[in-house]
């Protein structure tokens, strides 16, 4: 008996058919999707573009804790009883975002097993990434943290070949995410470029060879500073 090809689940197509409680909006670069302290009453899905997640401390210190791109969900904390947003999300470039209110996505998760399976798999992968980020911050040097961040942003390990990182991402943004200074990021980036691990001319291209920095203690790239 011939095998039938199983069609992959298309999130974009599916979300466009959800009845009620769904809106699609375009956010310009630097425009806020929601702010820290806003009511947590919906889940968002990025159709196109990229967003950053920032947290502001009581002392006024801001930190970028995550970046999301096309195909990612965010704001799912509302499903676990989170009453208020813990962070501010803003667009890093022109982005198209679908918003599903809490009641609608709860209903869809209950009634649509394919979507539910995909969404749960996404959350499990996100949770694993958070744990890896914590280990990274606790035990790895700032140089290795930067290398790992660039690889993740280039989709290393996912299907398809690595792609250019966010066009013209600032070294200040990278420094905030790594937890170091902009000057150190500049030093590391110059080293990576000289060794052929990356190249940039407007857009930043990451090569698989950068993985060597993460996996090995390279004497040419040794960094004792954390």
């Amino acid at each position: 008996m011939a095998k039938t090809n199983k069609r992959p689940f298309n999130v974009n197509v599916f979300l466009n058919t959800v009845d009620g409680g769904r809106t699609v909006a375009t956010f310009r670069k630097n425009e806020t999707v929601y702010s820290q302290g806003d009511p947590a009453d919906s889940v968002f899905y990025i159709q196109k573009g990229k967003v950053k997640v920032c947290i502001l401390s009581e002392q006024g210190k801001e930190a970028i804790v995550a970046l999301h791109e096309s195909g990612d969900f965010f704001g799912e904390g509302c499903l676990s009883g989170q009453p208020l947003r813990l962070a501010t999300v803003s667009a890093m470039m022109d982005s198209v975002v679908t918003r599903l209110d809490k009641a609608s996505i709860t209903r869809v998760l209950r009634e649509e097993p394919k979507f539910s399976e995909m969404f749960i798999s996404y959350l499990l992968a996100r949770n694993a990434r958070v744990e890896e980020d914590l280990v990274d911050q606790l035990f790895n040097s700032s140089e290795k943290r930067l290398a790992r961040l660039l690889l993740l942003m280039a989709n290393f390990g996912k299907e398809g070949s690595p792609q250019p990182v966010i066009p013209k991402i600032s070294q200040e943004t990278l420094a905030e995410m790594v937890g170091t200074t902009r000057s150190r990021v500049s030093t590391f980036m110059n080293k990576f470029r000289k060794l052929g691990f990356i190249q940039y001319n407007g857009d930043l291209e990451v090569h698989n060879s950068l993985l060597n920095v993460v996996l090995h203690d390279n004497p040419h790239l040794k960094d004792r500073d954390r």
Side-chain angles (χ1 to χ4, degrees), residues 133-162:
D133 287 347
L134 178 58
V135 172
D136 192 38
Q137 286 291 333
L138 290 175
F139 298 110
N140 285 336
S141 68
S142 53
E143 189 168 59
K144 284 190 176 183
R145 295 199 300 271
L146 176 61
R148 177 175 176 267
L149 174 62
L150 294 176
L151 288 165
L152 289 170
M153 294 171 68
N155 286 331
F156 178 82
K158 294 184 179 180
E159 293 183 1
S161 58

Side-chain angles (χ1 to χ4, degrees), residues 31-206:
E31 189 175 357
T32 299
V33 179
Y34 61 71
S35 298
Q36 187 172 328
D38 284 352
D41 56 4
S42 53
V43 174
F44 296 83
Y45 174 78
I46 305 174
Q47 293 188 22
K48 179 182 178 181
K50 297 179 186 289
V51 303
K52 63 180 178 180
V53 183
C54 301
I55 294 179
L56 184 67
S57 72
E58 293 182 356
Q59 293 74 33
K61 184 178 180 180
E62 187 178 61
I64 299 173
V65 296
L67 302 179
H68 297 307
E69 59 183 6
S70 300
D72 286 352
F73 291 90
F74 62 92
E76 68 278 358
C78 69
L79 299 177
S80 62
Q82 183 186 104
L84 301 175
R85 300 295 186 188
L86 301 180
T88 295
V89 176
S90 56
M92 299 187 72
M93 59 178 61
D94 290 354
S95 302
V96 179
V97 179
T98 298
R99 176 187 180 276
L100 289 167
D101 64 37
K102 183 178 179 180
S104 296
I105 193 165
T106 299
R107 172 177 54 81
V108 170
L109 287 170
R110 184 174 60 249
E111 297 177 355
E112 301 292 343
K114 288 186 178 180
F115 177 80
S116 182
E117 179 182 355
M118 180 277 305
F119 188 72
I120 291 173
S121 296
Y122 175 81
L123 293 184
L124 290 173
R126 171 85 66 81
N127 184 66
R129 165 72 187 278
V130 170
E131 291 181 354
E132 291 169 359
D133 287 347
L134 178 58
V135 172
D136 192 38
Q137 286 291 333
L138 290 175
F139 298 110
N140 285 336
S141 68
S142 53
E143 189 168 59
K144 284 190 176 183
R145 295 199 300 271
L146 176 61
R148 177 175 176 267
L149 174 62
L150 294 176
L151 288 165
L152 289 170
M153 294 171 68
N155 286 331
F156 178 82
K158 294 184 179 180
E159 293 183 1
S161 58
Q163 63 184 29
V165 179
I166 302 171
K168 299 181 180 178
I169 185 170
S170 70
Q171 292 186 354
E172 287 82 359
T173 297
L174 292 173
E176 284 186 45
M177 297 194 69
V178 170
T180 188
T181 63
R182 191 208 62 79
S183 61
R184 291 195 66 75
V185 166
S186 178
T187 298
F188 299 148
M189 295 288 281
N190 286 331
K191 285 183 180 180
F192 295 164
R193 181 169 59 178
K194 289 178 181 178
L195 290 167
F197 295 156
I198 64 172
Q199 63 185 55
Y200 52 90
N201 184 17
D203 290 346
L204 174 60
E205 184 178 348
V206 178

